[in-house]
Amino acid sequence: MSRFFATGSDSESEESSSADEITPKAPGTNFKQSLLLSDDEEDTKRVVRSAKDKRFEELTNLIKTIRNAMKIRDMAKCLEEFEQLCRAFLKSKNIVDKEGVPSFYIRLLADLEDYLNQLWEDKEGKKKMNKNNAKALSTLRQKIRKYNRDYETEVAAYKENPQESADEEEEKEQGDSGSSSDSDGEEGDEVSATSFLKKKPEPAPEANKFLKSAKGSGDESSSSDDDEDGEDWGSDTVDSGSESSDDGEGKGASLALVFLKKTQESEKSSEKKVSKKKKPKKKERLEEEEGGEEGEEGEGGWEKVKGGAPLVKEKPKMFAKGTEINTVVVLKKLNEILQARGKKGTDRAAQIELLHALANISAENNLGIGILVKIKFNIIASLYDYNPNLAAFMKADMWKKCLECIDELLDILFENNNIFIGENIAEDSESLSISDQPFRVRGCVLTLVERMDEEFTKIMQNTDPHSQEYVDNLKDEGHVCGIIDRLLDYLENKGSTEEICRIYLRRIMHTYYKFDYKAHRRSLGLQGESKSEQDQEESEGEDSAVIMDRLCKFIYAKDRTDRIRTCAILCHIYHHALHSRWYQARDLMLMSHLQDNIQHADPPVQILYNRTMVQLGICAFRQGMIKDAHNALLDIQSSGRAKELLGQGLLMRNMQERNAEQEKIEKRRQVPFHMHINLELLECVYLVSAMLLEIPYMAAHEFDARRRMISKQFHHQLRVGERQPLLGPPESMREHVVAASKAMKMGDWRTCHSFIINEKMNSKVWDLFPETQRVREMLVRKIQEESLRTYLFTYSSVYDSISMATLSEMFELEIPMVHSIISKMIINEELMASLDQPTQTVVMHRTEPTSLQNMALQLAEKLGSLVENNERVFDLKQGVYGGYFNRDQKGGYQQKGGYQRDQKGGYQNKQGYNRGGYNRNHNQSNY
């Protein structure tokens, strides 16, 4: 009863109470009359309701249940009700297609998703949940994320303006309150029937509605209930008054009159209900046309708020109407936008749009170039911040926008010479307004371009290298290099020496790994096949070698940081080696002494060093410097981790050696695919070099107990080949090299040649070199020479003498070349023989040791190993490590070689790249 006394006048309450008293005491309340009343109740309740009201009421009831379950954290109930809600929404698909998705439904989806994300992040809360709730939470979170993909735009619109969506829901709830009040009214027949007779809402309740909605979403449901109750009370009093007057007129006719009146009222209510549903659209149109006129009629006038979810979200106004746009106002707005940067919940895409709009406003109002440059700086910075995660790369649309913005910024800087940009300019001392003084803007365009270059690398790292997308992305490198060149021209005039060195290094990093085919053709005296190619060659600028030389020499002279100079030297060596300038590359490496302290450099520089060493080794191989090639490639190939050391991929390792965070860091260091060095070519060059060195050495020291391996990897491949039970024709590159090695052991150079140079090996390896034919000819020559030496080592004990003409014919070498090889072998005491000049023969000398001498040699060997073991134990006890570990096994101190690895006194003893210069052991030089 309390709610009836809350509102209304005394007379109304008296009328209602008298009506309550008269109705039960009416005479003739027999069984028949009660039947008539029950029929009357059925007629009044049988109100025509649209399908939309039924469906939406079902949805709202389910939503209320879900919200109650959310309050008590009952995830199992939430999941069950959400599944029912999805089914109910699917049933009302036809209505939704006509009317649009209701705002209260979108509001629930957004709130539920936020609520679940909060619960998911609450680790402690999740631990306290029971098993069913935890399982329901994970299931519901997955379902809501999947479900909300279909309503991304609506949910985003609600999240941007949640207050507006809440108001719309309240309006809809009030609009449908007639249908919902059927079940809530205490009066039964009268309330449900008359609720449809509500008058058009007057300004006062409409104002109250908007005032209540501003209190917050938590009070919305209570305020709307109060409004409904008040309106129901008013209608109840009217009905009760009419009932009392009808009962007073007569007893017999009262039932008929009441019955007739109710039918009229029900007809009117249904008509008014239909017309009321059509009214909001007219009302919206009127409000749109009138605009803010009524809102500005006087102080305290109510502001009209547009109902209904807008299809296109209006852009927020940058400035109030009538605001004078000047530099101070624009700067203030810029700072407001930037303050939201990096905060949780900030829409980064909207920030970028706002900055673009601000730049357009400043351009339209002619505020000067200074403020425009400052806004452009912040736009580019916002584009970089769009992906907060370091590992993530820029999407294609953002990347294109970034390139365009940097181009626009450079255009402005080139067109206006009166702009000074620098990181050292304080914000207080900036000069952005138009005046006689030049513009001063805080910022660094070089940093933006460096970040752009890093983003390009990340895009290439994260794209599938075997897809067309990679090729499309790689086409952007021309644009990136163009921007770097433009900035290079700008900084050469206005930049400091340090900045010029930094931009030079960026240009070098985009040049050093590319082979200059046009310069190569020009060096060979070849011209373009067509007239257009010749014209293009003439119009093209200087060769890459000239560019690299100019940029690197500037850095050598001016740079103060070791890192930039180190990178420039390594890139310069790489470029020399790539273009077969072996002696320049070797001399630059020796003079730089980088091999002494490269282990202290950061990992990206070490990767660049490894790449340079590999390219240097391949260059030496192309030039026929087999020993130098082997020495340069030894460290990389002997580790078995060439792929990882060159930054071309990660090897599978245990999680103990590398955790997930370290793996992410190493992935960011990877070299893009178009810069990779072919690993199969690298391994083939190393194995062929090892074969040409190892097979003659093995033949010469076949019975030597002190024989040392030159290449462990090569010996491993030989052992693998020997273990195979069935030897078929070679298929892989390694099998070809092993088969060639076995043929060379026998001195059969033709078979060796056929295994190393054939169609399969050409397609896999040799055709990848720029000067393919020259490399093949060099290889044939080396195979012939080393096969001759191997033959002499292996079969010297069989011959008393052998003619050089016969050897020349067997190995298809010129007699002077055979003479030269045998002379070197005799001088180096590798072959016990003498040359008989008149007869052109080699006379063998028998120098086989006697059995006593063999036993004496074995004893000396064992004593030597005993002495070494004793020294090792003594040094370990004394703690003196420096003396022993720098010695080879012959007892002599090993000189510190460059990228030469100590082979324990074997074939490479006391030879390598030493700090004093490039020393070559004349006893074991080229043959």
Side-chain angles (χ1 to χ4, degrees):
M1 292 293 292
S2 61
R3 85 180 179 103
F4 292 102
F5 289 106
T7 56
S9 64
D10 295 336
S11 61
E12 287 173 348
S13 63
E14 286 172 8
E15 284 177 9
S16 62
S17 61
S18 64
D20 290 340
E21 290 172 3
I22 290 167
T23 306
K25 292 180 181 178
T29 53
N30 51 14
F31 181 69
K32 188 176 180 180
Q33 189 174 0
S34 65
L35 284 175
L36 283 169
L37 278 170
S38 65
D39 290 341
D40 185 26
E41 286 172 8
E42 286 178 9
D43 288 340
T44 54
K45 281 187 180 180
R46 204 176 292 149
V47 177
V48 179
R49 296 177 62 200
S50 65
K52 174 187 170 184
D53 292 337
K54 290 179 183 176
R55 295 297 182 198
F56 280 16
E57 185 179 358
E58 183 183 3
L59 294 176
T60 49
N61 289 337
L62 288 168
I63 287 170
K64 283 178 185 175
T65 313
I66 291 172
R67 289 196 182 278
N68 289 336
M70 286 163 62
K71 288 176 185 174
I72 59 173
R73 292 198 172 194
D74 188 353
M75 290 296 103
K77 183 72 173 172
C78 272
L79 177 61
E80 181 187 345
E81 294 297 324
F82 180 71
E83 288 172 348
Q84 289 185 14
L85 180 67
C86 293
R87 288 195 288 271
F89 190 74
L90 197 62
K91 288 179 186 175
S92 56
K93 188 174 184 304
N94 294 333
I95 295 165
V96 170
D97 291 343
K98 292 179 185 176
E99 303 288 337
V101 182
S103 59
F104 60 82
Y105 189 70
I106 296 298
R107 182 182 175 197
L108 175 84
L109 294 180
D111 292 349
L112 185 57
E113 186 177 14
D114 293 342
Y115 174 74
L116 293 174
N117 288 336
Q118 286 176 3
L119 286 184
W120 190 261
E121 290 169 4
D122 184 10
K123 304 293 181 186
E124 296 298 324
K126 275 204 296 185
K127 288 178 184 175
K128 292 176 185 176
M129 279 187 185
N130 60 31
K131 188 177 179 181
N132 290 338
N133 270 352
K135 188 177 179 183
L137 172 62
S138 63
T139 308
L140 183 56
R141 183 169 173 267
Q142 290 176 353
K143 284 193 174 187
I144 194 73
R145 287 172 69 184
K146 187 177 179 183
Y147 192 79
N148 280 9
R149 286 176 196 160
D150 299 333
Y151 306 101
E152 278 184 0
T153 52
E154 292 90 342
V155 171
Y158 167 74
K159 285 183 177 178
E160 286 176 8
N161 197 354
Q163 189 61 47
E164 184 177 329
S165 298
D167 293 343
E168 288 165 15
E169 183 181 349
E170 193 172 339
E171 279 188 6
K172 287 207 172 188
E173 284 178 1
Q174 288 190 359
D176 296 338
S177 60
S179 59
S180 62
S181 62
D182 294 347
S183 56
D184 296 328
E186 290 183 10
E187 295 300 317
D189 327 10
E190 292 83 8
V191 175
S192 61
T194 55
S195 61
F196 291 96
L197 290 171
K198 282 192 281 185
K199 305 293 182 185
K200 183 178 178 181
E202 294 175 3
E206 206 171 64
N208 291 333
K209 176 178 72 174
F210 285 106
L211 285 170
K212 285 173 187 173
S213 66
K215 291 176 187 176
S217 58
D219 300 326
E220 286 168 7
S221 58
S222 62
S223 63
S224 60
D225 290 343
D226 291 343
D227 289 344
E228 288 175 4
D229 294 342
E231 288 168 351
D232 290 343
W233 166 244
S235 59
D236 289 344
T237 54
V238 174
D239 289 340
S240 61
S242 62
E243 282 175 20
S244 63
S245 61
D246 289 337
D247 290 337
E249 287 178 3
K251 295 175 184 177
S254 62
L255 283 173
L257 290 171
V258 170
F259 182 75
L260 288 170
K261 187 174 183 183
K262 293 290 181 186
T263 54
Q264 290 170 1
E265 284 177 358
S266 62
E267 287 169 7
K268 287 179 184 177
S269 65
S270 61
E271 289 172 5
K272 286 195 176 183
K273 184 183 171 189
V274 173
S275 64
K276 192 172 184 181
K277 285 177 184 171
K278 294 179 182 177
K279 277 181 185 177
K281 290 185 180 178
K282 291 181 182 178
K283 186 179 174 185
E284 285 174 12
R285 285 200 296 271
L286 287 169
E287 286 174 359
E288 285 177 4
E289 288 169 3
E290 289 171 5
E293 291 176 6
E294 292 182 6
E296 294 173 4
E297 281 174 359
E299 296 179 4
W302 299 108
E303 183 185 350
K304 293 279 184 180
V305 179
K306 231 169 34 171
L311 293 175
V312 180
K313 186 180 177 299
E314 290 183 358
K315 291 181 180 177
K317 291 182 179 179
M318 299 292 290
F319 303 104
K321 191 174 180 181
T323 306
E324 184 184 353
I325 308 297
N326 55 29
T327 307
V328 177
V329 173
V330 171
L331 269 179
K332 186 179 177 184
K333 191 67 181 178
L334 177 64
N335 289 328
E336 281 178 19
I337 297 169
L338 294 180
Q339 279 170 5
R341 180 178 170 187
K343 288 185 180 177
K344 189 176 180 182
T346 305
D347 187 353
R348 298 183 184 86
Q351 260 203 327
I352 294 166
E353 286 181 14
L354 287 173
L355 289 169
H356 274 294
L358 196 62
N360 293 335
I361 289 170
S362 67
E364 287 169 7
N365 290 275
N366 298 322
L367 296 181
I369 299 299
I371 190 73
L372 187 61
V373 168
K374 188 170 180 64
I375 296 171
K376 287 286 181 189
F377 268 117
N378 287 295
I379 289 173
I380 298 167
S382 300
L383 287 167
Y384 291 144
D385 289 346
Y386 191 75
N387 288 326
N389 190 358
L390 270 176
F393 62 99
M394 290 178 83
K395 303 299 179 192
D397 53 343
M398 288 293 168
W399 171 244
K400 299 291 182 192
K401 280 184 188 175
C402 179
L403 292 179
E404 288 170 9
C405 287
I406 293 175
D407 270 331
E408 289 171 10
L409 180 61
L410 288 173
D411 288 338
I412 294 170
L413 294 178
F414 274 110
E415 288 169 8
N416 301 275
N417 292 323
N418 59 338
I419 301 177
F420 290 98
I421 296 173
E423 289 176 307
N424 52 356
I425 297 174
E427 289 193 2
D428 300 337
S429 63
E430 283 184 321
S431 174
L432 302 173
S433 55
I434 300 172
S435 63
D436 296 337
Q437 295 180 347
F439 295 106
R440 290 168 58 83
V441 183
R442 177 181 172 80
C444 181
V445 68
L446 175 58
T447 307
L448 296 180
V449 172
E450 285 179 332
R451 178 70 188 274
M452 173 205 69
D453 196 25
E454 290 165 9
E455 290 293 339
F456 176 71
T457 305
K458 277 201 285 187
I459 289 171
M460 301 312 295
Q461 285 171 343
N462 289 279
T463 310
D464 179 14
H466 305 293
S467 64
Q468 182 60 35
E469 185 187 359
Y470 191 91
V471 178
D472 295 337
N473 289 339
L474 191 55
K475 290 176 184 175
D476 287 336
E477 194 188 15
H479 197 170
V480 171
C481 289
I483 289 173
I484 291 173
D485 283 335
R486 292 184 69 193
L487 182 61
L488 188 146
D489 295 338
Y490 178 78
L491 291 177
E492 280 177 349
N493 296 325
K494 293 195 172 184
S496 64
T497 308
E498 183 187 349
E499 289 176 332
I500 294 172
C501 288
R502 282 165 62 189
I503 194 64
Y504 275 10
L505 182 63
R506 289 285 163 184
R507 186 69 183 88
I508 288 166
M509 295 298 281
H510 279 279
T511 308
Y512 81 97
Y513 62 89
K514 296 174 183 171
F515 188 81
D516 194 345
Y517 283 97
K518 289 172 184 171
H520 178 64
R521 262 208 316 274
R522 282 199 291 270
S523 67
L524 296 176
L526 301 175
Q527 290 186 345
E529 295 176 1
S530 63
K531 183 71 176 170
S532 60
E533 286 184 10
Q534 292 177 15
D535 294 341
Q536 188 181 356
E537 286 178 8
E538 289 174 6
S539 63
E540 294 237 346
E542 51 195 349
D543 292 346
S544 60
V546 180
I547 295 171
M548 287 289 294
D549 194 59
R550 178 170 58 84
L551 301 181
C552 290
K553 282 181 178 176
F554 181 88
I555 291 175
Y556 301 157
K558 304 287 184 180
D559 180 57
R560 296 176 186 174
T561 63
D562 287 338
R563 190 182 186 280
I564 292 180
R565 189 190 301 111
T566 302
C567 290
I569 291 170
L570 291 171
C571 291
H572 205 180
I573 295 168
Y574 189 105
H575 194 262
H576 279 315
L578 187 65
H579 292 83
S580 301
R581 295 189 287 270
W582 158 249
Y583 292 105
Q584 291 97 311
R586 183 202 66 188
D587 294 344
L588 191 54
M589 174 61 79
L590 294 174
M591 287 188 294
S592 64
H593 299 297
L594 287 176
Q595 61 273 18
D596 296 338
N597 52 15
I598 194 65
Q599 66 271 16
H600 303 302
D602 54 340
V605 177
Q606 289 187 9
I607 288 171
L608 180 58
Y609 175 81
N610 292 337
R611 284 166 54 81
T612 304
M613 292 307 307
V614 163
Q615 199 60 246
L616 201 59
I618 294 172
C619 174
F621 181 81
R622 287 200 303 267
Q623 300 300 314
M625 313 283 185
I626 302 299
K627 201 176 297 180
D628 295 319
H630 181 269
N631 291 342
L633 300 176
L634 180 64
D635 284 336
I636 299 293
Q637 286 299 122
S638 61
S639 66
R641 298 187 300 126
K643 187 178 183 181
E644 193 170 349
L645 292 174
L646 296 173
Q648 296 182 187
L650 300 179
L651 299 174
M652 296 299 291
R653 287 202 212 165
N654 297 331
M655 289 304 289
Q656 297 171 352
E657 294 182 34
R658 180 174 60 209
N659 57 31
E661 191 61 34
Q662 287 174 332
E663 190 168 345
K664 284 181 185 175
I665 293 168
E666 288 187 18
K667 278 183 180 176
R668 288 203 292 271
R669 292 179 189 143
Q670 299 303 299
V671 176
F673 182 76
H674 63 280
M675 298 170 65
H676 282 195
I677 296 169
N678 191 317
L679 293 175
E680 190 172 19
L681 178 143
L682 175 62
E683 188 178 10
C684 180
V685 166
Y686 175 74
L687 288 176
V688 170
S689 302
M691 177 190 78
L692 294 173
L693 296 175
E694 190 84 64
I695 297 299
Y697 180 76
M698 288 168 65
H701 300 82
E702 191 173 357
F703 304 107
D704 190 356
R706 293 177 60 85
R707 188 180 71 193
R708 296 284 175 256
M709 289 185 291
I710 297 172
S711 170
K712 289 183 181 178
Q713 191 182 5
F714 177 72
H715 276 272
H716 173 70
Q717 295 301 331
L718 286 180
R719 284 195 297 272
V720 168
E722 288 168 2
R723 285 193 206 123
Q724 290 179 352
L726 182 63
L727 280 176
E731 292 183 3
S732 68
M733 177 271 300
R734 293 173 183 173
E735 290 176 2
H736 276 87
V737 176
V738 169
S741 302
K742 289 178 179 176
M744 186 182 277
K745 267 186 188 177
M746 308 301 294
D748 187 358
W749 77 271
R750 288 184 179 84
T751 309
C752 177
H753 169 241
S754 65
F755 281 130
I756 293 294
I757 298 172
N758 52 52
E759 286 185 9
K760 191 178 282 188
M761 290 291 283
N762 284 345
S763 61
K764 282 186 175 181
V765 180
W766 310 125
D767 287 345
L768 303 178
F769 286 118
E771 298 175 351
T772 307
Q773 193 56 38
R774 196 167 68 81
V775 172
R776 289 201 199 99
E777 290 170 2
M778 178 275 298
L779 266 176
V780 173
R781 189 78 171 178
K782 289 291 177 185
I783 289 170
Q784 289 170 335
E785 292 174 5
E786 298 303 324
S787 297
L788 171 60
R789 295 180 73 240
T790 307
Y791 184 83
L792 290 173
F793 284 135
T794 308
Y795 300 110
S796 61
S797 59
V798 178
Y799 289 98
D800 286 328
S801 64
I802 184 169
S803 170
M804 281 194 284
T806 307
L807 293 173
S808 173
E809 189 178 338
M810 282 175 64
F811 294 96
E812 296 184 6
L813 290 169
E814 303 86 1
I815 291 179
M817 179 57 72
V818 174
H819 186 277
S820 171
I821 292 170
I822 295 172
S823 300
K824 285 178 184 175
M825 292 172 71
I826 294 170
I827 292 168
N828 294 334
E829 298 180 357
E830 294 173 340
L831 183 66
M832 296 303 163
S834 59
L835 285 172
D836 188 17
Q837 196 70 29
T839 57
Q840 290 287 306
T841 57
V842 184
V843 180
M844 303 297 175
H845 296 224
R846 298 293 176 198
T847 56
E848 294 175 5
T850 63
S851 58
L852 182 61
Q853 287 172 330
N854 276 330
M855 290 173 68
L857 287 171
Q858 288 176 12
L859 179 62
E861 189 72 35
K862 287 178 181 178
L863 286 172
S865 62
L866 181 63
V867 169
E868 286 291 337
N869 288 333
N870 283 340
E871 283 185 1
R872 183 179 298 171
V873 171
F874 181 74
D875 285 344
L876 286 173
K877 282 184 178 180
Q878 293 296 319
V880 180
Y881 299 100
Y884 173 73
F885 288 108
N886 286 332
R887 282 186 289 171
D888 59 11
Q889 289 192 358
K890 285 184 177 176
Y893 281 88
Q894 183 78 13
Q895 290 180 345
K896 284 190 178 180
Y899 56 79
Q900 158 91 13
R901 178 173 284 194
D902 183 11
Q903 291 296 320
K904 305 291 185 187
Y907 186 70
Q908 303 173 31
N909 186 26
K910 294 186 181 178
Q911 172 199 344
Y913 292 101
N914 301 313
R915 295 190 65 168
Y918 181 68
N919 294 338
R920 179 178 291 178
N921 188 339
H922 294 290
N923 293 334
Q924 294 183 2
S925 58
N926 292 335
Y927 308 109

